[in-house]
Amino acid sequence: MANAKSSKRRPAVAIGNHALDLDIFSSSNGFSRLPFIQPHLAVFSQPVLNDFAALGQNVHGQVRRYIQQLFSRDTLWPELLKDNLELQDRCLLPLQEVENHLPMHIGDYTDFYAGRNHAYNVGALFRGPENALQPNYTHLPVGYHGRASSVVISGTPIRRPCGQILHDPAANPKKPSLTACKKLDIELELGAFVCKASKMGDPVSIGNAKESLFGVVLLNDWSARDIQAWEYVPLGPFTAKNFGTTISPWIVLTDALEPFLVQSMENSTELLPYLQEKQKNNVYNIELEVDLINSSGVSTTVTRTTSRNLLFSFPQMLTHHSIAGCPIQIGDLLGSGTISGAEDGSQGSLLEQCANGKTKIRLNGGEERIFLEDGDTVTITGVAGSMDVDMVGFGECTGTVLPAHEL
Amino acid sequence: MANAKSSKRRPAVAIGNHALDLDIFSSSNGFSRLPFIQPHLAVFSQPVLNDFAALGQNVHGQVRRYIQQLFSRDTLWPELLKDNLELQDRCLLPLQEVENHLPMHIGDYTDFYAGRNHAYNVGALFRGPENALQPNYTHLPVGYHGRASSVVISGTPIRRPCGQILHDPAANPKKPSLTACKKLDIELELGAFVCKASKMGDPVSIGNAKESLFGVVLLNDWSARDIQAWEYVPLGPFTAKNFGTTISPWIVLTDALEPFLVQSMENSTELLPYLQEKQKNNVYNIELEVDLINSSGVSTTVTRTTSRNLLFSFPQMLTHHSIAGCPIQIGDLLGSGTISGAEDGSQGSLLEQCANGKTKIRLNGGEERIFLEDGDTVTITGVAGSMDVDMVGFGECTGTVLPAHEL
């Protein structure tokens, strides 16, 4: 984050309606009761969390619990923060005054396709229900390399892309034109950041994959469906995906999400041993919601679903990613793939909701949508747990569509 | 580079059999006759060339010509280097004592598919000659995002990858197994580095694309054909490509390659205006050679071709890359796609040469090859021009295949 008091980018923790400025907190001896972190305090004055991530899950968890302790009613050390109004004034900033930045330096971004219902829905649209899933789909987490430079922080506007689009697929010869995308879509995903590197040629075993994951964010993989349809054969999506991918600003530590692990969707295929996890509960149960706010400010919840709709877990994605020897780096981002439920209103893309333009989505206030219009704002929110038990909220993942450049 | 005298990574220029250590040369007033570079001398003590690249093509060209001047017989300033044996001793290092490192920090790596003969040959193998090229192929430079972390410098060994492979494609249900790749291949390519950034949402126009290119390297995009065949539907190659991509260590400035621009292959499709270049000569005429050296040290030239076998130029690739708004960064690497000629012995991959295993390649000494065997070394070399006119040589792009890890 950065803010008016200091434009320096620095790490923070979101607590209620405030951000705890870890740079100020740390340099004001806030961590004095956590001896083992003393040699590493420099990580809290970095512009990104890569160095903190490198300290490992054990440290992440201890730092998290230490801060929780300081904010608890019966904290052991009230003098550190609870009774220290001067420090509170300096290190607790109202969230609305905080400017968010990318929390990690992202070396590489990879997008998977592990949402089985999404893969089925899209496959059924284009190839019919019998051939909806490709033969490889249940055997491995299908994925492709994304564009790291296009990952942006929540709030960054997304300009409607232009690209080569084939408006008359039946024509012969086929003649694309350069036009603004007419099928601008969202993809509701989770993203996971990596906190442990692997060497080229040395795959991350499934037993070691879990500890390689730093934390989770919400992710919107904006997609240009009409550009994608023309360009993606035979090497996959390219310009249809590299104009912007939005993530929520606050990384929720995997440590904090441990209580919300559940079994992934049932897979009738027996996985090869290299992908078999000992732990049955391997995917997160995060309630997810997509809201579309039109340019008049009227909001409609277009999607309600849960991240248990994933066929593969992040550890499985990471292990498969490296199976041929791909070197993994701290700060790498893995997208889960679009998360969709099976029923209406639970699909994580408009492509599915409107059956590629055949039906319309009714918005509150009377408007209809097929794909996104200029001025639309899309906001993803996520919560693990409920008010009854410990609840973990995610930061908002939001972006507004700007009109295309004139051609 | 780095070397025994100093393990510090620093930039250098290859001149004949020597490397000119730019860090020592610069800090010893080597650039004193080039006034405009004085405020920027720090670029020569960086471990990578990104900051130098950022100075722009005009500066690259002037620095190149300045160094050429100092090495010419009738140099204007013999006192700077020619007559300064003490400095020569410190800053001119025998190439064989130099350790090469990646010359740029690579934010993103993108691999194109612009070698028309290669696309045709591969398409014909899998879909027959009538459907060899996909309908989009002649309209745009097809490309996909690669894995930046897997780009390595020439000389780095490449471990044979393991992965999910479908050994019996006719079986139903299809059952892949985790095995070592049996179809390990090369891809003969050029790579181009970017020296000018663009903002998200602002495409690089074709008129501005050329000046965004820093220089060119040789590139071997090692490929696991059997892994690729199973995984690539529908989102493109993934683990079949992310276990290693080798580049030659010395970036040849686009400025130095300007005399070797020729017309690209004829394209019967009229390109959309955003891809039309004013300049007819837009691709490099670089003579390329692939040598396969078996574990006994016997070398066979398996490929001789030229980079004029590209249907699209690097400026066209860059412009298309950013057309939807993808932000481009200094240090981004663009692979051209496999370069193949039309005739036998000119194809840039073994897949083409052996018709996916149907024929064998005879090596000198009597051995045969279909795909690569453990211990094979593959070396790509490239030369622009000839001995008669100014000749520009590329550094070697080489790698040796290590056996797969035991499973």
Side-chain angles (χ1 to χ4, degrees):
Chain A
M1 63 153 208
N3 74 329
K5 286 186 192 170
S6 162
S7 62
K8 182 186 158 194
R9 298 181 184 196
R10 53 207 198 273
V13 177
I15 295 167
N17 295 320
H18 286 81
L20 172 67
D21 180 330
L22 291 177
D23 187 21
I24 292 178
F25 179 73
S26 166
S27 60
S28 307
N29 295 317
F31 286 109
S32 56
R33 296 289 183 162
L34 205 57
F36 75 90
I37 201 75
Q38 299 308 314
H40 309 293
L41 290 181
V43 302
F44 299 118
S45 57
Q46 303 299 313
V48 285
L49 288 167
N50 295 55
D51 288 353
F52 175 63
L55 296 176
Q57 278 185 346
N58 187 29
V59 171
H60 310 156
Q62 290 196 54
V63 167
R64 186 176 77 87
R65 285 186 289 279
Y66 176 79
I67 292 173
Q68 278 184 330
Q69 223 288 314
L70 290 184
F71 277 84
S72 70
R73 225 172 269 180
D74 53 352
T75 173
L76 295 169
W77 310 295
E79 73 282 7
L80 279 184
L81 191 65
K82 197 180 168 194
D83 297 345
N84 187 342
L85 296 183
E86 184 273 333
L87 180 57
Q88 282 183 32
D89 187 53
R90 286 191 295 125
C91 75
L92 282 177
L93 311 166
L95 272 187
Q96 67 267 27
E97 291 176 15
V98 162
E99 186 184 346
N100 292 312
H101 296 279
L102 282 180
M104 301 283 272
H105 170 75
I106 302 169
D108 278 288
Y109 158 51
T110 301
D111 199 22
F112 285 87
Y113 195 52
R116 191 193 168 281
N117 295 324
H118 170 73
Y120 178 86
N121 292 341
V122 172
L125 273 176
F126 294 111
R127 290 183 302 273
E130 276 149 42
N131 301 307
L133 295 179
Q134 300 283 358
N136 60 15
Y137 188 80
T138 57
H139 293 271
L140 53 80
V142 169
Y144 66 104
H145 301 118
R147 175 80 188 181
S149 77
S150 70
V151 179
V152 294
I153 199 67
S154 178
T156 308
I158 300 293
R159 188 168 295 284
R160 180 181 297 275
C162 295
Q164 279 203 24
I165 296 172
L166 192 67
H167 292 285
D168 181 6
N172 196 5
K174 301 196 182 303
K175 276 208 163 180
S177 58
L178 178 68
T179 44
C181 166
K182 290 190 173 69
K183 295 188 174 181
L184 182 59
D185 201 356
I186 55 163
E187 292 200 333
L188 164 61
E189 304 194 22
L190 294 184
F193 279 106
V194 170
C195 63
K196 202 172 173 184
S198 73
K199 280 190 195 161
M200 193 170 109
D202 288 344
V204 180
S205 71
I206 192 70
N208 290 332
K210 203 177 159 189
E211 69 186 39
S212 300
L213 296 167
F214 179 47
V216 176
V217 291
L218 307 176
L219 186 151
N220 183 353
D221 185 33
W222 305 84
S223 299
R225 302 296 178 196
D226 38 10
I227 296 174
Q228 189 175 352
W230 171 238
E231 78 172 2
Y232 92 105
V233 178
L235 298 179
F238 180 43
T239 63
K241 295 278 195 175
N242 67 17
F243 59 91
T245 295
T246 306
I247 61 169
S248 58
W250 306 98
I251 300 175
V252 180
L253 295 174
T254 50
D255 177 72
L257 289 171
E258 189 72 21
F260 307 105
L261 284 169
V262 293
Q263 266 189 266
S264 62
M265 300 182 80
E266 206 185 310
N267 191 344
S268 55
T269 297
E270 192 190 349
L271 293 178
L272 286 168
Y274 84 97
L275 286 176
Q276 287 177 15
E277 289 174 279
K278 278 195 185 156
Q279 187 176 345
K280 279 201 176 170
N281 292 340
N282 60 350
V283 302
Y284 298 114
N285 188 18
I286 301 167
E287 300 299 322
L288 298 164
E289 196 173 290
V290 180
D291 294 297
L292 194 160
I293 303 105
N294 70 9
S295 49
S296 315
V298 179
S299 177
T300 307
T301 300
V302 291
T303 307
R304 277 196 186 89
T305 186
T306 153
S307 61
R308 62 195 306 168
N309 284 311
L310 290 170
L311 190 64
F312 293 96
S313 68
F314 281 120
Q316 287 172 324
M317 294 180 218
L318 187 66
T319 291
H320 181 67
H321 199 314
S322 66
I323 187 64
C326 178
I328 304 294
Q329 295 182 322
I330 293 168
D332 285 345
L333 175 63
L334 312 179
S336 65
T338 310
I339 297 168
S340 290
E343 57 288 337
D344 274 359
S346 70
Q347 304 100 327
S349 74
L350 302 182
L351 175 71
E352 295 161 79
Q353 294 217 3
C354 71
N356 196 21
K358 284 191 200 112
T359 61
K360 289 180 179 175
I361 302 160
R362 291 190 62 87
L363 303 184
N364 294 331
E367 282 188 28
E368 293 180 322
R369 279 293 177 283
I370 301 177
F371 288 100
L372 295 174
E373 296 194 1
D374 292 347
D376 283 351
T377 298
V378 176
T379 301
I380 302 175
T381 51
V383 174
S386 65
M387 297 302 280
D388 313 331
V389 296
D390 282 345
M391 197 181 84
V392 176
F394 284 73
E396 236 181 37
C397 175
T398 190
T400 299
V401 178
L402 300 181
H405 281 303
E406 275 187 44
L407 287 169
Chain B
M1 63 153 208
N3 74 329
K5 284 186 191 170
S6 162
S7 61
K8 181 185 157 193
R9 297 180 184 197
R10 54 208 196 273
V13 178
I15 295 166
N17 294 320
H18 286 81
L20 173 66
D21 180 330
L22 290 178
D23 186 21
I24 293 179
F25 179 72
S26 166
S27 59
S28 306
N29 297 315
F31 286 109
S32 57
R33 296 289 184 163
L34 206 56
F36 74 89
I37 200 75
Q38 299 308 315
H40 309 293
L41 289 180
V43 303
F44 299 118
S45 57
Q46 303 300 313
V48 286
L49 289 167
N50 294 54
D51 288 352
F52 175 63
L55 297 177
Q57 278 186 346
N58 187 28
V59 171
H60 311 154
Q62 291 197 54
V63 168
R64 186 176 78 87
R65 285 186 289 278
Y66 176 80
I67 292 173
Q68 279 184 330
Q69 222 288 314
L70 290 184
F71 277 84
S72 69
R73 225 171 271 180
D74 52 352
T75 174
L76 295 168
W77 310 294
E79 72 282 6
L80 279 185
L81 189 66
K82 197 181 167 195
D83 297 345
N84 186 343
L85 297 182
E86 184 273 332
L87 180 57
Q88 283 183 31
D89 187 53
R90 286 190 296 124
C91 74
L92 282 176
L93 312 167
L95 271 186
Q96 66 268 27
E97 291 176 14
V98 162
E99 186 184 346
N100 291 312
H101 297 278
L102 283 180
M104 300 283 271
H105 169 75
I106 303 169
D108 279 289
Y109 158 50
T110 302
D111 199 23
F112 285 88
Y113 195 52
R116 190 194 168 282
N117 294 324
H118 170 73
Y120 178 87
N121 291 341
V122 172
L125 273 176
F126 294 111
R127 290 183 301 274
E130 276 149 44
N131 302 306
L133 295 180
Q134 300 284 358
N136 59 15
Y137 188 79
T138 56
H139 293 270
L140 52 79
V142 169
Y144 67 102
H145 301 119
R147 176 81 188 180
S149 76
S150 71
V151 179
V152 295
I153 199 67
S154 179
T156 308
I158 300 294
R159 187 167 296 282
R160 179 182 296 275
C162 295
Q164 279 202 23
I165 295 171
L166 191 68
H167 292 285
D168 182 4
N172 196 5
K174 301 195 182 303
K175 277 208 163 180
S177 58
L178 178 68
T179 43
C181 166
K182 291 188 171 70
K183 294 187 173 182
L184 183 59
D185 200 357
I186 55 163
E187 292 200 334
L188 165 61
E189 304 193 21
L190 294 184
F193 279 106
V194 170
C195 62
K196 201 171 175 184
S198 73
K199 280 191 196 162
M200 193 169 108
D202 289 343
V204 180
S205 71
I206 192 70
N208 290 332
K210 202 177 162 191
E211 69 187 39
S212 301
L213 296 167
F214 179 48
V216 177
V217 292
L218 307 176
L219 186 151
N220 183 353
D221 185 32
W222 305 84
S223 299
R225 301 297 179 195
D226 38 11
I227 297 175
Q228 189 175 352
W230 171 238
E231 78 173 1
Y232 93 105
V233 178
L235 298 179
F238 181 44
T239 63
K241 294 278 194 175
N242 68 16
F243 59 91
T245 295
T246 306
I247 61 169
S248 58
W250 306 99
I251 299 175
V252 180
L253 295 174
T254 51
D255 176 73
L257 290 171
E258 189 71 20
F260 307 106
L261 284 169
V262 293
Q263 267 189 266
S264 62
M265 301 182 80
E266 205 186 311
N267 191 346
S268 55
T269 297
E270 192 191 348
L271 293 178
L272 286 168
Y274 84 98
L275 286 176
Q276 287 178 13
E277 289 175 279
K278 278 195 184 155
Q279 188 176 345
K280 278 199 175 171
N281 292 341
N282 60 351
V283 302
Y284 298 114
N285 188 18
I286 301 166
E287 300 298 322
L288 298 163
E289 196 173 292
V290 180
D291 294 297
L292 194 160
I293 303 106
N294 71 9
S295 50
S296 316
V298 179
S299 178
T300 307
T301 299
V302 292
T303 307
R304 275 196 188 90
T305 186
T306 153
S307 61
R308 63 194 306 166
N309 284 311
L310 290 169
L311 190 63
F312 293 96
S313 69
F314 282 120
Q316 287 172 324
M317 295 181 218
L318 187 66
T319 291
H320 181 67
H321 198 315
S322 66
I323 187 64
C326 179
I328 304 294
Q329 295 183 321
I330 292 169
D332 286 344
L333 175 62
L334 312 179
S336 64
T338 309
I339 297 168
S340 291
E343 56 288 338
D344 274 359
S346 70
Q347 306 99 325
S349 73
L350 302 181
L351 175 71
E352 295 160 79
Q353 294 217 3
C354 72
N356 196 20
K358 285 192 200 110
T359 61
K360 289 180 179 176
I361 302 160
R362 292 190 61 87
L363 303 184
N364 295 331
E367 281 188 28
E368 292 180 324
R369 280 293 177 282
I370 300 177
F371 289 100
L372 295 174
E373 296 194 0
D374 293 347
D376 282 351
T377 298
V378 176
T379 301
I380 302 175
T381 51
V383 174
S386 66
M387 297 302 280
D388 313 331
V389 295
D390 282 346
M391 196 183 84
V392 176
F394 283 73
E396 235 181 37
C397 175
T398 189
T400 299
V401 178
L402 301 181
H405 281 304
E406 276 189 43
L407 288 170

